[in-house]
Amino acid sequence: MRIVLKYAYIWSMKARLNLTIDDALLEHVKGYAVKQQTSISELVENYFKSVTKPVKRKNILTMVDELKKPTKVDTKADLKELYYQDKAKKYGF
């Protein structure tokens, strides 16, 4: 029995970016990076990823839950007739 292992290495190219920021802010950012055990470059990269990430589409059920709730609904009303009456008022027929 012969076992062959193949590996694929995937890496992305990185580019250098120069930023100009206030000295006092830089000191705060350095302190924050140390507390988070990360680098300033990684903080900036993660921030750019977060602001450029496409917005997730909402689930239809979530959108329905977010709709404004009616204040009072007559359970005995003919909703179809009320719909047509409303359209007749709106379009004048």
Side-chain angles (χ1 to χ4, degrees):
M1 179 176 185
R2 185 174 177 205
I3 298 174
V4 178
L5 297 175
K6 294 186 180 186
Y7 296 95
Y9 294 99
I10 300 173
W11 67 88
S12 62
M13 298 294 293
K14 298 225 176 195
R16 188 170 290 280
L17 173 67
N18 292 324
L19 297 174
T20 304
I21 65 171
D22 183 62
D23 288 335
L25 177 59
L26 180 58
E27 291 306 313
H28 289 293
V29 171
K30 285 180 181 178
Y32 179 79
V34 168
K35 287 179 188 174
Q36 299 298 316
Q37 298 178 344
T38 188
S39 68
I40 295 173
S41 293
E42 193 171 348
L43 289 173
V44 171
E45 184 176 353
N46 289 337
Y47 174 74
F48 286 158
K49 284 179 183 177
S50 72
V51 297
T52 59
K53 183 172 36 174
V55 179
K56 283 178 105 176
R57 294 179 70 186
K58 288 186 178 180
N59 183 326
I60 187 72
L61 297 176
T62 305
M63 292 189 317
V64 169
D65 287 342
E66 292 173 354
L67 288 173
K68 183 179 169 186
K69 306 292 188 254
T71 54
K72 185 177 177 183
V73 176
D74 183 7
T75 57
K76 297 179 183 177
D78 181 5
L79 297 179
K80 185 176 178 180
E81 183 59 33
L82 290 174
Y83 172 80
Y84 286 119
Q85 287 175 4
D86 185 56
K87 293 299 175 191
K89 278 192 249 175
K90 183 175 180 179
Y91 297 112
F93 55 86

